[in-house]
Amino acid sequence: MNEQTGNLTYSVAARFRKKLTLFSIIENWLDRERDQLPLWIPVGIGVGVAIWQFGALSMLPGLVLACSAIILVAALAPSGGRLRFILQMLALTTLAGFALITLRSANVAQPVLGKIWIGEFYGRIDAVENLSARNIFRLRLASGGQSGLPPYVRVNLSPEQYKKTFQPGSVVRIRARLLPPAGPALPGGYDFGRRAWFQQIGATGSALGKVYLHQAASSRPLFATQREALTQHILRAMPQGTGAIGAALVTGDQGHIEEADAQAMRDSGLAHLLSISGLHVTAVVGFIFIIVSRTLSLSSWLALRIRIPVYAAAAAAFGAVAYTLLAGAEVPTVRSCIAALLVLVALAMGRDALTLRLVAFGALVVLLFWPEAMAGPSFQLSFAAVATIVILHELPAMKRFAQIRDEPLASKALRAVASLVLTGLAIELVLAPIALFHFHKAGLYGAFANVVAIPLTTFFIMPMEALALLFDIFGLGSPFWWLAGQGIAAILAIAHHISGLPGAVTMMPAMPNWAFVAFVSGALIFGLLGTRVRFVGIPLWFIGTIAMVTAPRPDILVTGDGKHMALVRPNGEVALLRGKAGDFVRDMIFEQAGSNKIATPIEQWPGAKCTADNCVINLSRNGRSWTVLATRTANPIPVMEMAAACKRVDIVVSDRWLPQSCRPRWIKADRNFLERSGGLAIYLPGQRVLTAHDSNRHMPWVHAAEGARAKVD
């Protein structure tokens, strides 16, 4: 008995020593990472927001249970240690992120329109958006709940329907056709319903006939008035074809940019120049800081008695806030303004101006006030870009390469250009998977286009526009407007040239969520850790990236209304059921198919037999044949004939309600089925079907729409 007791005591002691050794190893590692640990606070909040995005309130019980388990595990760690702190911090911040997005969603909740509504109502204009490139004026109207309408609706007006008196604060009488905010038409597609929910828009549509001014606005919002006036002034002052982008750089109004120019900017990787964010705010802040500091330095009396950097930083901060308000105070602009203010505070205090802690703090502020922004591409792309720049230039090898040294001017210039190219390549490497996940496309030459476009915009175009506005006070701004126009013309030339190169745009089909999670996790581990453990993130990054680029194309795509079906080959060739599909539908289908090839009529598909009313197509995948029947008119079909046709095929696609006697061997995607599922992405190998509603059926805006439809029915 004594021997057994001794062995048991020895075993317990050995396990305890092993436990202490493991804890010691982890504690030592965390101690070396102590400066990096605060960077994970916004990550924890972001994880909570992401969990809500995947399941909303249905995820709450499981999340609470998991976080409670983590906290209990943390209690086993030595008290006062960093392991206990980091585990508790991650659990609590995850719960905080989930709570923030839940409260935000509940706070913005508004009724949603249940079905198509046509009628007349009075609406107070809250905002006006001039989309001149599309010949549309967009009004956000407060309806007051008239005729059962949601409190806020968005209505498009043609130039003939719009009047200059339609300004924020005025009341109009309008007849309109309104629809519920649209969800994704295909799996993985853009969910406008989400954006409308957080913008409190309950319906969208178009005006019918003449729109009447019922009551003029008693006053106009200062910054909205100045923004519109400044936009129109820039459009008139700049050379033909450049004013739209010139206005976008100053006021953020992109509504006047021609679609061809906008598409070229997107395909060349220069679209970020059009959205007011860090680049623009940085240019404004830097311009003001330099001008004020240099002006004050001209007086030796002032230079000896005041801290010039503090006063210059204060002036730049005032300019940043004013510029943000003038540009519409959108979330990306506000985010950039917050970051700029933090940089100015650091400069005034004599601290490092740009660090990962600054980036993390900016992300934390945005998540606290706008947690829904985390799921959007703007938040992810902008913070990923800034973090990549900081991380890259903190690497010892990059520091050695980019450090200032005594060398000829030509060598300095080449080193600066090489540094800029390396930075651009690193940014493209990180941003490309994010762009592919959200937009299913990414530019291949963006790094090289940005090497020219970013310095040209920051150090030439925007300063010229600032000087033009300044000299316009004296009526002498024309030369500066002309110079700014030449810079914009050069950027447009670069964009059109780059976008026209072979392989300029990479298209990828919708990819699995787990691949994106793996990519982001790997990037965060490598970027936010300081010890060698960071290299664990590289395999994760590669796994996620490889899974993204190797994601299979769907074989069949069906829109949620059943009107449009596309057949997709593995090489990206696409055939459309209805050749008259509009540009929006075509773009949406090609994005989900990951293809930029020209669509062909379905009649030209090998094995397709079509009449005016329907098509029967034979598909072969992995040695197996599949037969698809798709209707494409509203002409009646005898019930017995339809039943016999359904029995002979595997898949039926129709925009009408089909009788119960229609029983295909696998899928019957008629209107009844599609109303419940939304659009479909069908993968024949493995008989896998993804539905548009799989990703959002749990969301509050979907529940609100379903509740509204139930009340109407």
Side-chain angles (χ1 to χ4, degrees), residues 135 224 247 374 416 510 564 673:
N135 288 323
M374 196 219 70
H564 302 283
F673 179 88

Side-chain angles (χ1 to χ4, degrees), residues 183-201:
L186 290 170
Y190 175 62
D191 186 1
F192 175 72
R194 182 185 190 280
R195 179 181 178 185
W197 177 259
F198 286 104
Q199 291 184 347
Q200 299 184 306
I201 297 173

Side-chain angles (χ1 to χ4, degrees), residues 22 32 85 100 115 130 224 318 341 345 462 494 597 615:
L22 179 61
R32 295 194 299 274
F85 166 75
L100 283 170
K115 66 175 185 177
N130 181 2
F318 178 81
L341 294 178
V345 170
M462 294 196 69
I494 293 170
K597 298 186 177 182
C615 283

Side-chain angles (χ1 to χ4, degrees), residues 376-695:
S378 175
F379 177 93
Q380 296 172 14
L381 290 169
S382 60
F383 275 103
V386 176
T388 299
I389 294 171
V390 176
I391 293 167
L392 176 66
H393 287 270
E394 285 185 350
L395 294 176
M398 191 63 185
K399 282 184 177 180
R400 289 193 299 269
F401 177 79
Q403 70 182 0
I404 299 174
R405 63 195 72 187
D406 186 14
E407 59 184 351
L409 182 60
S411 299
K412 287 184 179 180
L414 287 174
R415 190 177 299 279
V417 171
S419 177
L420 193 59
V421 171
L422 288 173
T423 302
L425 288 173
I427 292 174
E428 288 295 324
L429 199 62
V430 173
L431 299 192
I434 301 176
L436 288 171
F437 179 77
H438 289 285
F439 309 118
H440 310 290
K441 64 171 65 176
L444 296 181
Y445 309 123
F448 303 100
N450 279 289
V451 166
V452 178
I454 289 178
L456 186 59
T457 302
T458 307
F459 301 115
F460 182 76
I461 296 173
M462 294 196 69
M464 286 300 104
E465 291 200 64
L467 290 172
L469 291 171
L470 179 64
F471 278 85
D472 270 348
I473 299 173
F474 313 103
L476 302 174
S478 296
F480 299 102
W481 287 123
W482 183 86
L483 289 171
Q486 302 315 300
I488 291 174
I491 285 181
L492 284 173
I494 293 170
H496 283 281
H497 176 72
I498 293 292
S499 63
L501 293 176
V505 179
T506 298
M507 299 284 294
M508 293 290 176
M511 56 196 66
N513 289 327
W514 71 263
F516 186 66
V517 171
F519 161 78
V520 172
S521 300
L524 288 172
I525 290 172
F526 181 81
L528 302 187
L529 294 180
T531 61
R532 292 183 178 180
V533 178
R534 70 189 308 178
F535 293 106
V536 173
I538 295 179
L540 280 175
W541 185 89
F542 269 111
I543 290 171
T545 303
I546 291 171
M548 286 182 182
V549 300
T550 58
R553 289 186 170 91
D555 298 294
I556 303 173
L557 290 169
V558 182
T559 58
D561 57 7
K563 291 183 178 295
H564 302 283
M565 182 186 76
L567 306 180
V568 185
R569 285 180 173 172
N571 64 359
E573 293 181 7
V574 176
L576 297 177
L577 176 66
R578 300 174 190 249
K580 294 183 179 180
D583 291 339
F584 175 76
V585 172
R586 287 173 179 266
D587 291 344
M588 177 179 57
I589 288 174
F590 276 93
E591 283 185 6
Q592 299 306 309
S595 173
N596 55 6
K597 298 186 177 182
I598 298 175
T600 59
I602 203 167
E603 291 85 352
Q604 298 179 13
W605 189 274
K609 298 178 181 180
C610 295
T611 66
D613 295 324
N614 59 68
C615 283
V616 177
I617 311 102
N618 290 316
L619 302 174
S620 297
R621 293 289 186 274
N622 294 355
R624 177 176 175 180
S625 295
W626 305 80
T627 307
V628 181
L629 168 64
T631 65
R632 53 182 184 177
T633 67
N635 297 334
I637 301 175
V639 174
M640 295 298 294
E641 183 178 332
M642 191 69 201
C646 292
K647 189 176 181 180
R648 294 192 295 267
V649 301
D650 299 285
I651 302 169
V652 174
V653 176
S654 179
D655 61 344
R656 63 178 77 181
W657 284 280
L658 297 178
Q660 290 187 354
S661 58
C662 175
R663 297 178 180 177
R665 291 191 286 266
W666 183 20
I667 299 173
K668 177 183 172 183
D670 64 346
R671 181 176 295 187
N672 181 54
F673 179 88
L674 293 171
E675 283 183 349
R676 299 193 309 270
S677 68
L680 305 177
I682 302 174
Y683 299 81
L684 296 178
Q687 296 186 238
R688 186 163 59 100
V689 180
L690 299 181
T691 74
H693 291 173
D694 284 343
S695 61

